[in-house]
Amino acid sequence: MAWIKTIDTDRAEGLLAKVYEAAAKRAGRVFNIIRVQSINPSVLQAGMGLYMGVMHRDSPLSRAQREMIATVVPATNGCHY
């Protein structure tokens, strides 16, 4: 298994601390899929913006359809996330 350096929530500063805080507020904790991107907070923030835009903004697809796609595609590709 690969090892990826991450920054713990208690050591996060600046932009990363803000991203972690928003993630914890939204989901109750900071999941590893967020932590794994912690070394580059600006890219993490951009990625979260894309995710939020795709999953939570206006779309011709229902939220349930978007969640189903987000589940099926990684499963088909053998990806845990």
Side-chain angles (χ1 to χ4, degrees):
M1 174 174 240
W3 179 82
I4 299 171
K5 181 180 177 182
T6 62
I7 299 172
D8 292 331
T9 54
D10 59 340
R11 297 188 67 207
E13 299 175 347
L15 177 58
L16 181 60
K18 290 178 184 179
V19 172
Y20 275 2
E21 184 180 323
K25 184 177 181 182
R26 188 174 51 255
R29 67 184 181 119
V30 179
F31 283 91
N32 286 335
I33 192 69
I34 302 297
R35 290 179 201 270
V36 77
Q37 301 173 75
S38 63
I39 296 300
N40 195 332
S42 62
V43 171
L44 170 57
Q45 183 182 43
M48 288 304 302
L50 175 62
Y51 167 78
M52 295 301 288
V54 168
M55 297 304 288
H56 297 279
R57 304 295 191 270
D58 291 339
S59 171
L61 300 176
S62 70
R63 176 71 193 272
Q65 289 170 318
R66 290 179 274 179
E67 290 288 350
M68 185 173 15
I69 292 166
T71 300
V72 171
V73 170
T76 301
N77 291 327
C79 177
H80 174 74
Y81 291 105

